């Protein structure tokens, strides 16, 4: 079962949405890590995966750094 398949009991709708988005992005990061572990990736494939990984890391940083911490439960 993926994080996005589970229900989170949070009454604040904004916080609930942020948690769902965070779970989705974390799942994306895990998928990208698994892709990087595949054998025989070309340099281009590695670069594309790493670019997506960096984009996800930036998104998580922004997401958790501002929106997530400023939300009242």
């Amino acid at each position: 079962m993926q994080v996005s398949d589970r229900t989170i009991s949070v009454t604040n709708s904004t916080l609930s949405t942020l948690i769902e988005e965070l779970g989705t992005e974390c799942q994306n990061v895990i998928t990208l890590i698994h892709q990087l572990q595949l054998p025989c990736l070309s340099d281009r494939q590695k670069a594309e995966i790493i670019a997506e990984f960096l984009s996800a890391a930036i998104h998580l940083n922004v997401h958790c750094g501002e929106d997530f911490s400023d939300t009242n439960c």
Side-chain angles (χ1 to χ4, degrees):
M1 180 180 285
Q2 293 184 4
V3 173
S4 60
D5 295 335
R6 298 181 187 150
T7 302
I8 300 170
S9 79
V10 175
T11 57
N12 182 303
S13 64
T14 302
L15 181 58
S16 180
T17 299
L18 290 173
I19 291 171
E20 287 179 32
E21 290 175 1
L22 180 62
T24 300
E25 195 62 59
C26 288
Q27 189 64 45
N28 182 40
V29 167
I30 291 168
T31 299
L32 292 168
I33 290 170
H34 288 155
Q35 287 177 358
L36 282 172
Q37 294 171 335
L38 294 172
C40 303
L41 290 174
S42 70
D43 288 342
R44 180 183 171 108
Q45 289 171 312
K46 289 177 190 175
E48 289 175 1
I49 294 168
I50 290 171
E52 287 184 47
F53 184 84
L54 290 173
S55 175
I58 291 167
H59 181 235
L60 284 171
N61 184 33
V62 169
H63 184 81
C64 292
E66 296 173 10
D67 294 339
F68 193 73
S69 62
D70 290 341
T71 303
N72 296 319
C73 297

